[in-house]
Amino acid sequence: MEPLSDSQYRAATTGGMPDAEQVADGLWSLAMPMPGGGSLGYTLAAVHLGPDGTVALIDPGWAEPGSLERIDDFLRGLGRQMADVATVVVTHAHPDHIGLADAVRQASGARVVLHRREQASIDAEGAVVPEDLDSRLQEWGVAPERARLLHDRAHGSAPRHAPLHADVLVEDGDELPVAGATWRVLHTPGHTPGHICVVDESRGLLFSGDHVLPTVYPGLGLGADFGENPLTAYLRSLHRLHPYDDVEVVPGHGYRFRGLAGRRRDTALHALRRVRETAEVLHDDPTASIWDIASRLSWSGGWAQLQHSIMLFSGLNQTDMYRDFVVSGGLESPEALWP
């Protein structure tokens, strides 16, 4: 990959917040703070200035104190203001991307845009009753005392915000209602069911959200279950980006870069590494439980750390996804045959 922003590259690799910068005529990248640090200490919001005086945003960021004012101050520095925001495009419904969308809408009257499948995923949040979760944990082979801990973590606190309802629901291939630019929707499920990338056809740019990132690999299956294996969907989505291998990528985190072909390949191979480990475990023990399989995979921090981490449920859920991919013949699919 070739970094295209010195400021963003420094922030992503050494910490801190990058400066706001112009990406192209009428288009800016604005870092929005989020809890955490390092390369995930900020979300890169896109700010488009339309020739009619309107503003369009992509992924306005986390609803942190002062974030709305940060956008307003930035716009005023460009001769616009919050009231000019007409469209807020959200790539997916995670708080570091969608969190500020409703506040921007209330302050400006903007339309919030989501993929139809992502709205359905939002609507399905909270639909899983405790008994469903307990049944899944039992099927996974989780010991009762550990299952109780996971149950309490999942149901111990209420959502902090009411679910967001978009004003405009889009499908793959739709052109977004943005003045002065041709933004087209590319449905790229996997990270979430309704994740989208946005292709800026007039400028030759790809806004990749969390689908492809320069510094980390996105988690998969982080949304409602609609029956399709998220890994299968993700690999297909990576293949769909082939026509854009030569364009500049503006990701949701990290830094702007060129070299999408290599990053797509690395990301796919990373996703498939644990799948192949899962296949080896199942070859040796076809009846292994999800818990047993997970204990034998190469997790970033090690299994000993993961099983006591708040990320344990996510790890087990991903293991279930890997197992389903293997037993359904996914390793024999064209999407799994990366060079």
Side-chain angles (χ1 to χ4, degrees):
M1 290 182 299
E2 174 192 0
L4 299 177
S5 166
D6 291 339
S7 176
Q8 292 177 1
Y9 181 77
R10 284 194 305 271
T13 54
T14 64
M17 290 278 288
D19 299 327
E21 59 186 27
Q22 189 167 11
V23 178
D25 186 33
L27 182 69
W28 294 76
S29 180
L30 175 66
M32 298 297 296
M34 59 177 284
S39 62
L40 294 183
Y42 55 87
T43 301
L44 293 174
V47 181
H48 165 77
L49 307 182
D52 61 350
T54 61
V55 174
L57 306 177
I58 298 178
D59 289 350
W62 200 290
E64 285 278 274
S67 290
L68 193 66
E69 292 77 12
R70 178 178 175 83
I71 293 178
D72 189 43
D73 289 345
F74 178 72
L75 290 176
R76 289 181 184 279
L78 298 176
R80 307 286 173 93
Q81 56 185 327
M82 184 64 67
D84 297 326
V85 180
T87 306
V88 179
V89 181
V90 179
T91 60
H92 64 292
H94 286 165
D96 50 331
H97 296 260
I98 199 173
L100 201 62
D102 191 49
V104 173
R105 175 169 61 184
Q106 292 184 39
S108 65
R111 297 167 296 177
V112 175
V113 179
L114 273 174
H115 190 275
R116 187 176 301 276
R117 180 61 65 90
E118 198 71 354
Q119 182 68 65
S121 182
I122 293 174
D123 296 341
E125 287 183 356
V128 177
V129 298
E131 292 76 14
D132 292 338
L133 174 62
D134 294 342
S135 176
R136 174 178 286 192
L137 295 174
Q138 185 176 11
E139 291 175 0
W140 285 350
V142 181
E145 63 277 7
R146 194 60 57 82
R148 283 194 294 272
L149 177 62
L150 290 171
H151 174 106
D152 292 343
R153 285 175 178 169
H155 296 282
S157 60
R160 290 180 297 171
H161 303 287
L164 181 141
H165 295 281
D167 304 288
V168 179
L169 299 178
V170 295
E171 302 281 2
D172 183 63
D174 285 352
E175 184 175 337
L176 295 173
V178 177
T182 304
W183 284 1
R184 198 163 300 280
V185 172
L186 189 66
H187 183 208
T188 49
H191 181 57
T192 66
H195 187 289
I196 62 172
C197 293
V198 178
V199 180
D200 188 324
E201 297 178 347
S202 53
R203 300 183 179 102
L205 301 171
L206 176 73
F207 300 97
S208 67
D210 277 0
H211 185 57
V212 179
L213 298 167
T215 60
V216 297
Y217 300 109
L220 303 180
L222 305 181
D225 181 0
F226 291 114
E228 181 178 25
N229 187 299
L231 177 56
T232 301
Y234 186 66
L235 292 174
R236 289 174 179 165
S237 297
L238 285 176
H239 274 282
R240 290 201 67 201
L241 295 187
H242 171 71
Y244 310 101
D245 279 346
D246 296 327
V247 308
E248 177 179 337
V249 180
V250 184
H253 304 278
Y255 52 85
R256 297 185 290 113
F257 69 92
R258 201 177 292 274
L260 179 59
R263 190 57 177 171
R264 286 194 305 114
R265 177 182 179 276
D266 290 346
T267 302
L269 293 177
H270 174 82
L272 288 166
R273 175 172 58 84
R274 287 194 190 125
V275 172
R276 294 186 172 117
E277 291 179 351
T278 301
E280 292 176 3
V281 174
L282 290 172
H283 180 268
D284 295 337
D285 183 5
T287 63
S289 69
I290 296 300
W291 181 272
D292 290 337
I293 295 171
S295 71
R296 297 167 64 179
L297 300 183
S298 299
W299 302 101
S300 299
W303 171 246
Q305 177 178 328
L306 179 63
Q307 64 177 308
H308 298 289
S309 164
I310 61 173
M311 298 303 294
L312 176 59
F313 181 84
S314 176
L316 293 171
N317 196 48
Q318 289 183 53
T319 303
D320 195 7
M321 175 182 67
Y322 302 146
R323 183 187 183 281
D324 176 73
F325 189 83
V326 172
V327 299
S328 65
L331 281 172
E332 302 170 8
S333 67
E335 290 82 10
L337 301 177
W338 287 77

